[in-house]
């Protein structure tokens, strides 16, 4: 499933004040990412931080999906995630539970050219079962 990564324009609180957007721009579709629940996050106890392959924070899962994904992570479910792309003020990752590697979605030739690989490499999921199925 594809999940939205928000907060990419906020600076990280590390010593280097690393830049999330820059880290996303330096990432390639398919690069692994890590999800880390932050139960002590002062803004949202359901927050799930997303880190690049270089262990630099790139943002957070959207508040809409974080409680569901965080609950699965806290239950110990095995998750694997990869960077999918970036469009505007958000990034996208692909997540798969159960231990198998997620795959990038294939281009849908019916999609408008504004979402093609020449723009950002992001293709939305095709219509399918309800989210989380």
């Amino acid at each position: 499933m594809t999940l939205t990564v928000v907060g990419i324009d906020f600076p990280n609180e590390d010593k280097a004040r690393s830049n999330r957007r820059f880290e996303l721009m330096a990432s390639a579709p398919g690069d692994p990412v890590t999800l880390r629940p932050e139960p002590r996050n002062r803004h949202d106890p359901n927050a799930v931080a997303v880190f690049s392959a270089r262990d630099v924070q790139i943002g957070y899962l959207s508040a809409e999906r974080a409680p569901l994904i965080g609950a699965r992570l806290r239950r110990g479910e095995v998750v694997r995630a990869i960077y999918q792309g970036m469009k505007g003020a958000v990034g996208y990752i692909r997540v798969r539970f159960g231990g198998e590697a997620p795959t990038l979605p294939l281009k849908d030739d019916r999609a408008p050219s504004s979402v093609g690989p020449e723009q950002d490499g992001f293709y939305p999921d095709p219509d399918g079962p309800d989210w989380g199925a």
Side-chain angles (χ1 to χ4, degrees):
M1 76 183 84
T2 296
L3 297 174
T4 304
V5 179
V6 298
I8 68 172
D9 289 317
F10 288 94
N12 285 324
E13 295 181 8
D14 56 10
K15 289 181 182 180
R17 306 270 303 163
S18 54
N19 185 297
R20 297 174 183 179
R21 180 177 286 273
F22 179 81
E23 185 64 19
L24 281 171
M25 293 171 66
S27 298
D31 282 354
V33 297
T34 305
L35 305 178
R36 297 181 193 160
E38 289 187 352
R40 292 190 172 127
N41 183 298
R42 66 179 184 243
H43 301 290
D44 181 0
N46 293 310
V48 177
V50 183
F51 289 80
S52 72
R54 289 168 290 282
D55 205 34
V56 174
Q57 186 176 2
I58 57 175
Y60 288 92
L61 293 184
S62 68
E64 176 184 78
R65 298 294 187 220
L68 302 169
I69 300 300
R72 293 182 80 170
L73 291 170
R74 286 188 297 280
R75 283 196 303 260
E77 290 189 49
V78 177
V79 62
R80 290 181 63 187
I82 59 175
Y83 174 65
Q84 181 175 338
M86 180 175 63
K87 186 166 180 76
V90 296
Y92 297 94
I93 61 171
R94 296 284 289 177
V95 175
R96 190 165 193 178
F97 285 91
E100 291 186 43
T103 57
L104 294 172
L106 300 175
K107 180 182 179 199
D108 181 352
D109 290 328
R110 297 170 298 165
S113 62
S114 63
V115 296
E118 62 279 2
Q119 296 297 318
D120 60 13
F122 170 71
Y123 308 110
D125 289 322
D127 291 337
D130 290 337
W131 185 87

